[in-house]
Amino acid sequence: MTRFGLQIPNFTFGLDDRERFGRVAELATAGEASGFSSVWVMDHFYQLPALGGAEQPILEAYTLLGALAARTSTVELGTLVTGVTYRNPAMLAKMVTTLDVISGGRAVLGIGAAWHDVEHVGLGFEFPPAGERLDRLEEAVQICRAMFTEPAPTFHGRYYRIEEAHNVPPPIRPGGPPIMIGGGGERRTLALVARYADRCNVAGDLDTVRHKLPVLREHCETVERDPATVTTTRLGSLFLVGTDAEADGIRTFLDGIGGAEFVAGCTIGTEDQVVEQVAAILDAGVQEPIFNLPLADPAGVRRVGTLLSGRFGAD
């Protein structure tokens, strides 16, 4: 069965703040009911520039996921992805474990090296150079894995340490929540995936994906790991429209916002065209495409989920 994920990145619904979570829950439950296998939110404290910037609403990821765990029953839940700079990794392991307990074993730890310097400055988070952030990421995933699987692990790293760390209750899922590392850096990030992660998430157009996945396989071979044990995912935006003219209009609009490279990473078209483009993503080696649906209300989410599950036999 092909699996598809739904990312919810936008919280600007033209609603009163008291109604905001209700709409997010409607999107998540619509995705679950229509065949999506996972629901993801961004781990940001400022909304991203392409979605209106810091003046637009955004909800804290793990508080939101805990609430969605109580509203859903089958979808996996995770961040795409947590910035390693935002939380002590032992605290992060406890938070993800709590999400796993609340959801009955549906949590995924998505994590990456962080990048949005503006919110780091604004909220007082340290934003070290990229090399240090990747070093911190390597230590963090080791700590989280240990706290997911061992009764009282100890770890002494350059940046983080734990001493007989208890994590009670433990995760519900056997082996603990899967760890997904986001990012496509060929020298360090994909090497960290090969060494430590259960899943990877890459972005970009299909040529980029076709280039990155063989690099990941090479890193797996270097550490004598079967590449088939790493689930490959890709995040992209999807726009399901009724006519070719609508599709052309969206491409023109997106080109003005993000340029041709951004448009190339999007899935845009009528039902048959979307199915053809999604099939190409799968053929490129992506096992679980993850889509955000920037223009979709709950009915639109159901339409996309029903289309994908009907054509590709999603769970």
Side-chain angles (χ1 to χ4, degrees):
M1 290 287 187
T2 303
R3 294 167 53 88
F4 296 97
L6 171 68
Q7 188 209 35
I8 304 173
N10 185 21
F11 303 96
T12 305
F13 305 123
L15 300 173
D16 184 272
D17 285 342
R18 288 169 292 188
E19 301 174 300
R20 201 172 306 281
F21 169 69
R23 174 54 60 86
V24 177
E26 289 175 352
L27 294 168
T29 55
E32 179 176 76
S34 60
F36 284 98
S37 300
S38 55
V39 172
W40 307 84
V41 297
M42 299 190 301
D43 186 30
H44 288 292
F45 306 101
Y46 285 5
Q47 184 54 276
L48 300 185
L51 295 173
E55 299 301 320
Q56 295 302 312
I58 191 164
L59 300 177
E60 193 280 323
Y62 285 100
T63 311
L64 176 58
L65 290 172
L68 291 178
R71 295 288 188 96
T72 58
S73 58
T74 62
V75 287
E76 292 186 321
L77 298 164
T79 60
L80 196 58
V81 288
T82 289
V84 71
T85 50
Y86 296 140
R87 298 171 188 84
N88 170 280
M91 173 63 76
L92 177 62
K94 184 64 176 178
M95 294 169 69
V96 175
T97 297
T98 299
L99 177 62
D100 201 61
V101 171
I102 293 170
S103 65
R106 294 184 283 128
V108 178
L109 169 56
I111 190 167
W115 63 272
H116 196 27
D117 55 343
V118 173
E119 67 186 358
H120 284 77
V121 173
L123 298 180
F125 293 109
E126 294 295 327
F127 189 66
E132 180 180 327
R133 298 199 310 273
L134 286 162
D135 290 341
R136 288 177 178 271
L137 176 60
E138 182 167 10
E139 291 187 13
V141 294
Q142 292 177 80
I143 287 173
C144 288
R145 178 76 77 192
M147 290 184 61
F148 290 159
T149 59
E150 300 175 27
T154 293
F155 176 91
H156 295 168
R158 180 177 180 184
Y159 300 102
Y160 306 115
R161 61 185 295 144
I162 54 174
E163 199 78 40
E164 296 184 2
H166 296 279
N167 188 20
V168 183
I172 299 294
R173 191 189 299 227
I179 295 176
M180 171 196 283
I181 292 179
E186 296 179 24
R187 187 176 67 86
R188 288 291 309 277
T189 304
L190 294 179
L192 292 177
V193 172
R195 187 173 294 275
Y196 300 109
D198 304 291
R199 307 179 187 184
C200 74
N201 183 265
V202 296
D205 62 20
L206 291 191
D207 286 341
T208 300
V209 172
R210 294 187 186 103
H211 173 73
K212 300 288 185 182
L213 295 187
V215 174
L216 173 60
R217 288 194 288 271
E218 290 174 4
H219 283 300
C220 287
E221 291 166 2
T222 298
V223 297
E224 299 182 344
R225 180 178 181 182
D226 181 358
T229 62
V230 179
T231 299
T232 55
T233 75
R234 171 189 178 266
L235 175 64
S237 297
L238 188 151
F239 301 85
L240 179 61
V241 298
T243 67
D244 290 344
E246 290 179 86
D248 289 340
I250 288 175
R251 290 189 187 94
T252 299
F253 173 74
L254 295 178
D255 183 72
I257 294 176
E261 184 177 349
F262 174 71
V263 175
C266 295
T267 301
I268 306 168
T270 61
E271 289 192 356
D272 288 342
Q273 291 167 346
V274 163
V275 167
E276 182 179 357
Q277 292 170 52
V278 171
I281 294 171
L282 297 171
D283 288 343
V286 176
Q287 294 165 295
E288 183 174 354
I290 300 171
F291 296 110
N292 55 51
L293 312 176
L295 302 182
D297 58 10
V301 170
R302 284 191 290 272
R303 184 184 173 200
V304 172
T306 300
L307 173 66
L308 296 178
S309 61
R311 297 293 185 94
F312 296 98
D315 292 340

